[in-house]
């Protein structure tokens, strides 16, 4: 799963990317997207690792792509944006970074600091990009439907859905309001519509501002969070001991990057279940709402095929009773069947026929 970091020029996208991924700033400010995979912060793994001292610890991962900013008010910037759009369309979630920090050395885009207005400029661009793609396809389908074709019915269905999409976009509504069923989603999946993706807003606040102080909300947006990208990227560059001390001095348990990664992971509709043993302690990624047999299939297709049951214990119950044995003795280990809907942080032991 992948998030694309987008926004107006000098909003701090690359600084957020560095803070999140630990990848150093690109001194040449390359016009190409940069990618990095990060481990999803999972504090629950630490306890399990302490308990089992496993040979391996495997964390869940998530990818971030830093998209260079484009000045949308000139034709060369517009052309750059169009060139980058296919990469943005491939993401599962969008992170829109807007600037709320002042700086004499880094002039603001269009000489203004107005995070809410910048957010709305980006929103309009997303709506416009989708409207452009929808309109092109609608025109093509209308033309095709004037002649009888073998795929006539299918094209008619697609046209009817895309006409609804066009109406929504013309009313400044995102496609999440129209594309709601699994069938519809499948029908339009190849477009990679931008306003069909979950959106996280990041307000890049002045250096040293800590905690989450986002003061505005936007309709249809999964979440808006604030962070000080420059401070966060400095934190990312510290060695772990210094980092802990720095955060403690600020009265924080963790850097904002952890909050952002988790927000993206959840925003993309994902959650983790855990497995443990002396060989390996591991966090596995599954969609929210996945069942025990789907979780088993994530580990190995044999486990879903031969699924018997999932011995399940909630992480908090395990900690309360020290370990698996203790939780079992206290009756906290449940025997769940195929259709059990897994909860975030469930520890599973899948029993299956060979
Ligand atoms: N003071 C301050 N400077 C920042 C902050 N975030 C970014 N900057 C500085 O602003 C400049 C632009 O930041 P980038 O992260 O490169 O911005 P960007 O959005 O990636 O820019 P483009 O990709 O060119 O659109 C850099 O010199 C950063 O060091 C911040 O929170 N505070
Ligand atoms: Mg950049």
């Amino acid at each position: 799963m992948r998030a694309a970091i987008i926004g107006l020029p000098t909003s701090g996208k690359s600084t957020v990317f560095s803070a999140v991924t630990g990848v150093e700033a690109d001194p040449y400010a390359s016009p190409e997207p940069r990618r990095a995979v990060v481990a999803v912060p999972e504090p629950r793994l630490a306890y399990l690792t302490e308990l089992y001292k496993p040979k391996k610890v495997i964390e869940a991962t998530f990818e971030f792509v830093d998209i260079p900013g484009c000045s949308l008010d000139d034709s060369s910037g517009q052309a750059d944006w169009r060139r980058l759009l296919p990469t943005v369309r491939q993401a599962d979630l969008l992170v829109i970074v807007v600037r709320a920090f002042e700086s004499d050395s880094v002039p603001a885009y269009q000489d203004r600091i107005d995070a809410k207005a910048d957010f709305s400029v980006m929103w309009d661009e997303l709506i416009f990009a989708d409207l452009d793609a929808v309109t092109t396809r609608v025109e093509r389908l209308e033309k095709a439907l004037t002649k009888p074709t073998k795929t006539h019915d299918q094209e008619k269905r697609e046209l009817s859905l895309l006409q609804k999409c066009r109406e929504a976009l013309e009313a400044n509504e995102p496609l999440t309001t129209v594309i709601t069923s699994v069938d519809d989603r499948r029908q339009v999946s190849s477009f990679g519509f931008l306003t069909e993706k979950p959106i996280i807003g990041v307000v890049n606040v002045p250096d040293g501002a800590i905690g989450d102080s986002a003061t505005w909300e936007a309709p249809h947006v999964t979440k808006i969070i604030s962070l000080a990208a420059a401070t966060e990227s400095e934190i990312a560059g510290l060695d772990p001991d210094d980092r802990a001390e720095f955060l403690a001095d600020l009265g924080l348990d963790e850097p904002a990057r952890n909050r952002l990664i988790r927000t993206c992971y959840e925003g993309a509709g994902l959650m983790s279940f855990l497995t443990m043993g002396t060989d390996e302690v591991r966090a596995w990624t599954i969609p929210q709402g996945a069942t025990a047999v789907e979780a088993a299939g994530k580990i190995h297709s044999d486990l879903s095929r031969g699924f018997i049951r999932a011995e399940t214990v909630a992480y908090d119950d395990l900690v309360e009773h020290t370990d698996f044995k203790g939780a079992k003795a206290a009756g906290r280990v449940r025997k769940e069947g195929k259709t059990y809907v897994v909860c975030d942080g469930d520890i599973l032991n899948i029993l299956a026929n060979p």
Side-chain angles (χ1 to χ4, degrees), residues 7-16 66-70 99 101-103 106 204-207 228-231:
L8 293 174
T10 74
S11 53
K13 299 174 293 300
S14 299
T15 311
V16 168
D66 177 22
I67 306 288
C70 309
R99 175 165 171 168
F101 71 89
E102 309 261 355
S103 163
V106 187
N204 186 8
V205 293
D207 302 358
T231 308

Side-chain angles (χ1 to χ4, degrees), residues 2-57:
R2 183 185 303 146
I5 306 177
I6 58 172
L8 293 174
T10 74
S11 53
K13 299 174 293 300
S14 299
T15 311
V16 168
F17 177 77
S18 286
V20 165
T21 62
V23 173
E24 278 184 29
D26 168 18
Y28 307 108
S30 148
E32 297 310 315
R34 291 204 301 162
R35 300 164 184 275
V37 173
V38 300
V40 178
E42 177 50 88
R44 292 172 289 209
L45 285 182
Y47 182 82
L48 300 183
T49 303
E50 192 54 36
L51 203 60
Y52 282 91
K53 313 248 185 299
K55 293 191 194 105
K56 266 191 299 192
V57 179

